[in-house]
Amino acid sequence: MYQNIKVGFIGLGVMGQSMAEHILKAGYPLYVYNRTKSKSDKLVELGAVWQNTPQEIAQVCDLVLTIVGYPADVEAVYLGENGLFEGARSGQVFIDLTTSRPSLAQELTAKGKAIGVTVLDAPVSGGDLGAKAGRLTAMVGGDASTLDEVRPVLETFSASIQHHGPAGSGQHAKASNQIMIAGTMTGMVETLRYAKANGLDLEKVIATLTGGAAKNWSLANYGPRILKADYSPGFFVKHYIKDLGIALEEAEKAHLDLPGTSLAYDLYRELASEGHENEGTQALIKLWWDQE
Amino acid sequence: MYQNIKVGFIGLGVMGQSMAEHILKAGYPLYVYNRTKSKSDKLVELGAVWQNTPQEIAQVCDLVLTIVGYPADVEAVYLGENGLFEGARSGQVFIDLTTSRPSLAQELTAKGKAIGVTVLDAPVSGGDLGAKAGRLTAMVGGDASTLDEVRPVLETFSASIQHHGPAGSGQHAKASNQIMIAGTMTGMVETLRYAKANGLDLEKVIATLTGGAAKNWSLANYGPRILKADYSPGFFVKHYIKDLGIALEEAEKAHLDLPGTSLAYDLYRELASEGHENEGTQALIKLWWDQE
């Protein structure tokens, strides 16, 4: 069934462009839309077809993938004027790859179900490099048999695709992921600050710690970037603030107090307020290393 | 020079027994002392020689290794009545493997230097399993050329031996390690609490997260133990509290505010006050999972 389907892709940021290119190169007819049209140039050159609105995408495609910035953008793309739902028809599948609110994922799934459209939530992790390499991790919520049908398309850019439960579960799994990273990022900056203040060789500390029980991806990957003062975004501070905000909002709904995650959220908002929102999350160290 | 030296070993807890056994099996003549004598039985059976005090150990050995519980125990073993320094003579090497205060390491090194004894600080990480397998990580501070001389002995139980700088630097590196783990442990429990509260399959969440940017040793190793309700100590809560207390004390001396580490310290002290000080650090989840 999913051999010759027309695939739509909405949201051509750094991640989206790489993902769309993988789909195109796998041979699927690809239709694209983005708020800023120029970002589609490269894909159109490679054979993608530009559409003027999400609605038009929905009118021509069988499967539509979306990855935009914020939950408000997801709402606009799906529910807004000229949005996906205005062009939707029974039998279609929409997959939102944006890290967004679980409750919004559930709302879109319910709205789709009412007209015969299956909506899945499938936020991804792995960043710009993972997208480029086609090695993302997709955390999926929603109808499992639909996931099995569209899996070949997701596999063009994913190394791991896990079904985590009903609508919204992909978002909850992604929120869990971001909560874990709050611990590794705050832990990493405190470690580097302590080690530097006590005169240690930071490269040696990173090498030693990543060989034992303190081992983690943040220290191993961002630690060396910090030592080179490389604050370019693998993952934007502003997007991490969005993700942590969603996680804390959902935690509050579940009556969970998450003090470590709250700490990270406060620190990252402070970082953004100092003008670093478009840098990579490793820029957290800048809250201290200008002064210390 | 260090082929036929007599090695002393003080502190035969779970870690110490394994480490001493590795030294013995490598062929070094081994002399042992421990506050509770019965813990030396197995080693004596294997060929180690019991001594009645640290002072006696110092009187017969060329190199003495110590790994005891708290800084106060280190002080007693080195500086107390019948302590190591009472039996010390010029040319000896003492190495403290306990995770202890950097300032105490500096004090012992200075005291040693005054009488021609070289004292190194070399706290280890890797826990009971690492000690058993002879795969510990040793973080060493103090005279580098002495380290090179005694390295073969440390290699009998270490997979990695790093020199981090002058006296106390091994302790600072270990404190850095424990600060990093504060982030991974608090992050892990918040992740599991969030995922559980939102109905996710925790095994699947751990598998997914450990495949990406949230990856860390704590989640990969302690996560599955928590799901099996296995709270047996790889590393004791009470010892982690000691380590975090040292790290925070040193941070304060350096005028560093480490809010994530402070949070972990407070949570672990709360855990201990509820009677869990002799369980493994993964028992942190018990602060919530009785209620949630």
Side-chain angles (χ1 to χ4, degrees):
Chain A
M1 164 187 185
Y2 272 87
Q3 298 285 29
N4 293 302
I5 56 158
K6 293 176 176 172
V7 178
F9 203 100
I10 296 173
L12 304 173
V14 177
M15 302 276 296
Q17 287 203 35
S18 292
M19 296 158 89
E21 196 174 325
H22 284 297
I23 297 171
L24 195 60
K25 288 187 169 165
Y28 293 97
L30 188 73
Y31 297 79
V32 296
Y33 170 77
N34 190 62
R35 208 158 43 187
T36 306
K37 189 178 176 183
S38 62
K39 290 191 178 169
S40 71
D41 290 352
K42 190 186 167 195
L43 288 161
V44 168
E45 217 167 274
L46 291 170
V49 181
W50 171 261
Q51 299 290 309
N52 287 309
T53 63
Q55 180 183 20
E56 286 184 19
I57 292 271
Q59 280 162 349
V60 294
C61 296
D62 307 294
L63 166 66
V64 182
L65 307 182
T66 57
I67 183 162
V68 293
Y70 296 84
D73 302 317
V74 175
E75 284 185 307
V77 164
Y78 281 80
L79 307 172
E81 202 181 338
N82 302 316
L84 280 174
F85 274 112
E86 290 195 354
R89 62 182 185 281
S90 180
Q92 283 178 310
V93 177
F94 297 161
I95 307 180
D96 186 27
L97 307 157
T98 316
T99 298
S100 172
R101 287 200 189 89
S103 55
L104 178 56
Q106 289 157 358
E107 181 191 339
L108 296 178
T109 299
K111 282 210 154 70
K113 199 170 183 181
I115 58 166
V117 172
T118 306
V119 181
L120 304 180
D121 50 302
V124 291
S125 84
D128 53 345
L129 295 177
K132 200 155 204 164
R135 306 277 310 160
L136 293 170
T137 295
M139 299 165 230
V140 189
D143 185 63
S145 65
T146 301
L147 170 60
D148 286 340
E149 288 174 1
V150 302
R151 195 178 281 268
V153 177
L154 297 180
E155 279 172 345
T156 65
F157 54 77
S158 306
S160 166
I161 301 167
Q162 284 284 346
H163 183 257
H164 286 280
S169 299
Q171 294 298 348
H172 279 309
K174 180 67 189 285
S176 303
N177 190 76
Q178 304 305 69
I179 288 168
M180 186 64 246
I181 289 174
T184 58
M185 292 303 291
T186 55
M188 173 183 70
V189 297
E190 293 193 0
T191 300
L192 294 178
R193 290 171 55 213
Y194 178 94
K196 188 182 180 190
N198 287 294
L200 300 182
D201 175 330
L202 298 185
E203 273 185 50
K204 201 173 269 188
V205 168
I206 291 171
T208 300
L209 269 54
T210 52
K215 185 175 181 170
N216 66 92
W217 193 97
S218 293
L219 183 65
N221 287 272
Y222 289 136
R225 292 197 208 178
I226 288 172
L227 300 197
K228 287 184 289 187
D230 171 7
Y231 299 109
S232 61
F235 184 55
F236 283 111
V237 165
K238 64 185 176 188
H239 289 154
Y240 193 42
I241 291 171
K242 181 247 309 182
D243 295 1
L244 289 177
I246 291 169
L248 288 168
E249 199 180 285
E250 291 295 323
E252 203 178 331
K253 281 189 204 168
H255 308 289
L256 296 176
D257 176 37
L258 303 181
T261 308
S262 297
L263 170 66
Y265 184 56
D266 291 345
L267 293 175
Y268 273 104
R269 282 194 301 174
E270 191 183 334
L271 184 66
S273 77
E274 292 184 7
H276 302 294
E277 69 273 19
N278 288 313
E279 297 180 34
T281 49
Q282 72 275 25
L284 185 59
I285 198 77
K286 289 189 174 181
L287 282 181
W288 296 277
W289 278 7
D290 290 336
Q291 296 98 315
E292 278 169 20
Chain B
M1 164 189 186
Y2 273 86
Q3 298 285 29
N4 293 301
I5 55 159
K6 292 176 176 173
V7 179
F9 202 100
I10 296 174
L12 303 173
V14 179
M15 302 276 295
Q17 288 204 34
S18 292
M19 295 157 89
E21 197 175 324
H22 285 295
I23 297 170
L24 194 60
K25 288 189 170 165
Y28 293 97
L30 189 73
Y31 298 78
V32 297
Y33 169 78
N34 190 61
R35 208 157 45 187
T36 307
K37 189 178 176 183
S38 61
K39 290 193 179 168
S40 71
D41 290 352
K42 190 186 167 195
L43 287 161
V44 169
E45 217 167 273
L46 291 169
V49 181
W50 170 260
Q51 299 291 309
N52 288 308
T53 63
Q55 181 183 19
E56 286 183 20
I57 291 272
Q59 282 161 347
V60 293
C61 296
D62 307 294
L63 167 66
V64 182
L65 308 183
T66 58
I67 182 162
V68 293
Y70 295 85
D73 302 318
V74 175
E75 284 186 307
V77 164
Y78 281 80
L79 307 173
E81 202 181 339
N82 302 317
L84 280 175
F85 274 112
E86 291 195 353
R89 62 181 185 282
S90 180
Q92 284 179 309
V93 178
F94 297 162
I95 307 179
D96 185 27
L97 307 157
T98 317
T99 298
S100 171
R101 285 200 190 91
S103 55
L104 177 56
Q106 288 156 359
E107 182 191 339
L108 296 178
T109 300
K111 281 207 156 67
K113 199 170 182 182
I115 58 167
V117 172
T118 305
V119 181
L120 304 180
D121 50 303
V124 292
S125 84
D128 53 346
L129 295 178
K132 200 155 205 162
R135 306 276 310 159
L136 293 170
T137 294
M139 299 166 230
V140 189
D143 185 64
S145 65
T146 302
L147 170 60
D148 286 339
E149 288 174 2
V150 302
R151 195 177 279 269
V153 179
L154 298 180
E155 279 172 346
T156 65
F157 55 77
S158 306
S160 166
I161 301 168
Q162 283 285 344
H163 183 258
H164 286 280
S169 299
Q171 295 297 348
H172 279 309
K174 181 67 189 285
S176 303
N177 190 76
Q178 304 306 68
I179 288 168
M180 186 64 247
I181 290 173
T184 58
M185 291 303 291
T186 55
M188 174 184 68
V189 297
E190 294 194 359
T191 300
L192 293 177
R193 290 171 57 214
Y194 178 94
K196 188 182 182 191
N198 286 294
L200 299 182
D201 175 332
L202 298 186
E203 274 186 48
K204 200 173 272 189
V205 168
I206 291 171
T208 300
L209 269 53
T210 53
K215 185 174 181 171
N216 67 91
W217 193 97
S218 294
L219 182 65
N221 287 273
Y222 288 136
R225 294 197 207 177
I226 289 173
L227 300 196
K228 287 184 288 188
D230 171 7
Y231 299 110
S232 61
F235 184 55
F236 283 112
V237 165
K238 63 185 176 189
H239 288 156
Y240 193 42
I241 290 171
K242 181 247 309 181
D243 295 1
L244 289 177
I246 290 169
L248 288 169
E249 201 179 284
E250 292 295 324
E252 202 177 331
K253 281 188 205 169
H255 308 290
L256 296 176
D257 175 38
L258 303 181
T261 307
S262 297
L263 170 66
Y265 185 56
D266 291 345
L267 293 174
Y268 273 104
R269 282 194 300 174
E270 190 183 335
L271 184 67
S273 77
E274 292 184 7
H276 303 293
E277 69 274 19
N278 288 314
E279 297 180 32
T281 49
Q282 72 274 26
L284 185 58
I285 197 78
K286 289 188 174 183
L287 283 182
W288 296 277
W289 278 6
D290 289 336
Q291 297 98 315
E292 278 168 20

